[in-house]
């Protein structure tokens, strides 16, 4: 990473730190969450329903937070999100009541997939874009995603083996998994403290009082609506194979234990992080839209192949191949969204597109629970996910190949030019 990032801006260091803390907690939880819910007596359908409601709650929280973040303050909203994360984890520790768990899933922030959830990503992306030159944005987003992937990988590895160790030292399975949920809640408290250190530089100021906003947007509404529809389709497809469900699939299909599952997704997330880092280099040569599309299609073909493998070893190999290219589109997608909207629309644009992703993702886990409950349909989620994602890729290329970000046209803003000079 460029030296100026670490030396000249404490906010960037803090935003990278909060990304690392949060994704470690998400990865830490994802491997054991479905196993825990199953252990306390919930059926596969109930588990799928809770995961879907978790993502629906993410939509509500993210919408309220991101569309008001510029007015109330990005820092304040980040602290609020961390408090909700800690609260939801605490409730999951303290009760087995399905109704209370469902309410906590809706109101709080629980990550079933080991990936970003809640308003954090949207506000952090807008904050980073606020203090970065255009030409550095995709590269820094690549490192930002790398940090998250490595943290999620470490979290997945740690929780899987911690559960095994606790069970071997006298804890029953449910109590061992409950300890992991408690540590997830503790991660939310640590995140609150980290967000308190951010400066006012991450905030945006609207000096043009004549601009009329609608959900935080003005000139870019059409672009954001189209991107949101496509991202919702992509996320709906991805919701069939969230990490918790995929770990559970490996468990019931091949008998993989929690330790092995933690190791599998540790390696998978490491590969995903490296793939995200390559996005900036590829985008320099072929552009952000082409990078999103032409790296995503092979990844989705591999996703469809995983359930066709005859044994655990071959399924793991294909999974690793898939993860080695699966995240190249992510920093490109994030950077592109920030680039094609006005600076004062970034928080709302990121929030709305991420909310659209959450809406899409919230619908499919319940269907996955249904498929997993029927042996003949157990592999269906992989085929649906891969096929729908390829449709998304083709539509994205058709609709946006001619809309270029500033760094691909040379139209850098004066604000960004001044940042570069400094």
């Amino acid at each position: 990473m460029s030296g100026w990032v670490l030396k000249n801006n404490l906010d960037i260091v803090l935003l990278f730190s909060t990304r690392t803390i949060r994704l470690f907690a998400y990865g830490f939880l994802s491997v054991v969450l479905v196993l825990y819910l199953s252990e306390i007596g919930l059926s596969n359908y109930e588990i799928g329903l809770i995961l879907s409601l978790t993502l629906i709650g993410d939509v509500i929280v993210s919408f309220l937070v991101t569309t008001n973040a510029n007015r109330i303050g990005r820092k304040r909203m980040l602290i609020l999100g961390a408090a909700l994360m800690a609260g939801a984890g605490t409730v999951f520790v303290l009760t087995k009541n399905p109704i209370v768990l469902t309410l906590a899933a809706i109101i709080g922030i629980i990550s079933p997939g080991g990936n970003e959830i809640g308003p954090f990503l949207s506000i952090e992306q807008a904050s980073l874009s606020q203090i970065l030159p255009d030409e550095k944005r995709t590269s820094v987003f690549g490192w930002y995603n790398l940090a998250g992937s490595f943290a999620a990988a470490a979290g997945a590895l740690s929780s899987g083996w911690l559960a095994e160790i606790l069970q071997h030292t006298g804890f029953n399975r449910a109590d061992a998994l409950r300890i992991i949920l408690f540590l997830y809640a503790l991660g939310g408290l640590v995140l609150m403290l980290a967000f308190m250190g951010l400066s006012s530089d991450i905030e945006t100021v609207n000096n043009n009082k004549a601009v009329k906003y609608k959900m935080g947007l003005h000139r870019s509404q059409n672009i954001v609506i189209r991107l949101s529809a496509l991202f919702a389709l992509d996320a709906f497809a991805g919701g069939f194979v969230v990490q918790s469900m995929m770990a559970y699939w490996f468990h019931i299909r091949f008998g993989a234990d929690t330790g092995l599952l933690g190791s599998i997704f540790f390696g998978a997330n490491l590969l995903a992080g490296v793939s995200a880092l390559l996005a900036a280099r590829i985008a320099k040569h072929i552009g952000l839209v082409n990078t999103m599309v032409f790296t995503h299609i092979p990844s989705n073909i591999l996703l469809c192949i995983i359930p066709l493998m005859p044994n655990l070893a071959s399924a793991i190999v294909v999974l690793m191949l898939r993860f080695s290219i699966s995240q190249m589109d992510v920093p490109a997608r994030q950077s592109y969204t920030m680039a094609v909207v006005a600076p004062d629309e970034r928080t709302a644009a990121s929030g709305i597109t991420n909310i659209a992703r959450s809406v899409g993702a919230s619908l499919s886990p319940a269907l996955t629970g249904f498929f997993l409950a029927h042996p003949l349909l157990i592999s269906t989620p992989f085929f649906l996910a891969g096929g729908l994602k390829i449709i998304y890729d083709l539509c994205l290329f058709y609709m946006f190949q001619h809309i270029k970000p500033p760094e691909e046209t040379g139209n850098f803003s004066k604000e960004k030019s001044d940042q570069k000079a400094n």
Side-chain angles (χ1 to χ4, degrees):
M1 191 178 353
S2 302
W4 67 270
V5 172
L6 294 177
K7 292 178 181 178
N8 300 332
N9 207 308
L10 177 61
D11 287 327
I12 294 179
V13 178
L14 280 172
L15 290 170
F16 269 67
S17 299
T18 55
R19 167 78 168 176
T20 301
I21 294 166
R22 187 169 64 255
L23 267 293
F24 180 89
Y26 288 170
F28 194 71
L29 179 70
S30 66
V31 171
V32 303
L33 177 60
V34 174
L35 296 174
Y36 172 74
L37 294 175
S38 178
E39 188 68 25
I40 62 175
L42 275 66
S43 68
N44 287 342
Y45 177 76
E46 290 173 326
I47 292 170
L49 182 60
I50 284 182
L51 296 190
S52 284
L53 291 173
T54 296
L55 297 172
I56 290 172
D58 168 48
V59 171
I60 298 169
V61 171
S62 295
F63 178 79
L64 294 174
V65 170
T66 57
T67 55
N68 291 285
N70 286 349
R71 180 175 58 86
I72 297 175
R74 290 172 177 170
K75 177 178 175 178
R76 290 176 180 175
M77 289 306 201
L78 287 169
I79 294 171
L80 173 62
L84 292 174
M85 173 179 166
T90 301
V91 172
F92 268 64
V93 170
L94 296 179
T95 183
K96 300 179 182 179
N97 186 304
I99 296 176
V100 178
L101 290 174
T102 299
L103 291 174
I106 293 172
I107 299 171
I109 296 175
I110 290 284
S111 175
N115 300 314
E116 277 287 7
I117 194 170
F120 303 109
L121 178 63
S122 301
I123 301 176
E124 287 184 353
Q125 284 178 347
S127 299
L128 284 169
S129 297
Q130 183 83 11
I131 52 182
L132 289 171
D134 288 329
E135 65 271 24
K136 294 288 186 181
R137 188 183 54 254
T138 305
S139 176
V140 172
F141 277 17
W143 283 101
Y144 174 80
N145 282 281
L146 177 68
S149 292
F150 277 23
L157 180 68
S158 300
S159 69
W161 285 108
L162 178 59
E164 289 293 307
I165 292 170
L166 289 171
Q167 289 177 73
H168 282 92
T169 55
F171 289 89
N172 63 46
R173 185 180 179 87
D175 288 339
L177 299 178
R178 191 173 290 111
I179 289 173
I180 292 172
L181 285 163
F182 169 77
L183 294 175
Y184 175 84
L186 185 62
L189 295 176
V190 174
L191 205 57
M192 288 177 63
L193 296 175
F195 283 135
M196 290 178 183
L198 292 170
S199 76
S200 60
D201 290 345
I202 69 165
E203 308 291 352
T204 184
V205 178
N206 176 28
N207 295 318
N208 187 355
K209 303 301 181 182
V211 174
K212 294 184 178 180
Y213 292 88
K214 187 175 183 180
M215 294 189 299
L217 301 173
H218 48 92
R219 74 182 192 194
S220 306
Q221 290 181 21
N222 184 47
I223 287 177
V224 172
I225 289 171
R226 287 189 289 159
L227 285 173
S228 297
L230 290 174
F231 293 169
L233 173 61
D234 180 45
F236 174 74
F240 284 108
V241 287
V242 294
Q243 190 161 294
S244 289
M245 284 297 198
M246 200 180 294
Y248 190 54
W249 181 85
F250 272 93
H251 174 69
I252 60 177
R253 174 74 182 271
F254 297 114
D257 60 31
T258 55
L260 178 58
L261 290 171
S263 299
I264 290 172
F265 289 101
F266 171 74
N269 282 290
L270 286 180
L271 291 172
V274 173
S275 75
L277 192 60
L278 297 174
R281 292 189 177 185
I282 297 173
K284 282 183 179 179
H285 296 286
I286 66 174
L288 289 173
V289 172
N290 289 341
T291 300
M292 285 187 271
V293 173
F294 298 137
T295 63
H296 208 221
I297 289 176
S299 167
N300 296 321
I301 293 172
L302 288 169
L303 183 61
C304 293
I305 294 175
I306 291 173
L308 301 178
M309 294 298 100
N311 52 53
L312 177 61
S314 59
I316 291 174
V317 169
V318 176
L319 178 73
M320 294 302 174
L321 288 173
R322 191 255 173 175
F323 270 89
S324 70
I325 58 175
S326 67
Q327 297 298 300
M328 289 184 185
D329 71 302
V330 174
R333 182 186 73 229
Q334 295 168 348
S335 182
Y336 185 79
T337 304
M338 294 295 93
V340 296
V341 302
D344 60 342
E345 296 178 294
R346 283 173 176 155
T347 303
S350 180
I352 291 169
T353 53
N354 283 321
I355 286 167
R357 292 185 61 82
S358 295
V359 170
S362 69
L363 302 175
S364 33
L367 296 174
T368 302
F370 170 79
F371 292 133
L372 292 178
H374 295 77
L376 294 178
L377 301 176
I378 192 173
S379 296
T380 303
F382 290 88
F383 301 129
L384 285 174
L388 290 173
K389 280 176 171 288
I390 291 173
I391 293 173
Y392 152 79
D393 292 324
L394 297 176
C395 291
L396 179 69
F397 183 75
Y398 175 77
M399 295 172 66
F400 286 94
Q401 60 177 315
H402 300 302
I403 301 177
K404 305 293 184 183
E407 60 268 32
E408 293 177 23
T409 62
N411 295 325
F412 297 110
S413 66
K414 183 181 185 300
E415 176 188 357
K416 297 301 185 181
S417 298
D418 292 341
Q419 282 182 321
K420 183 179 180 182
N422 292 333

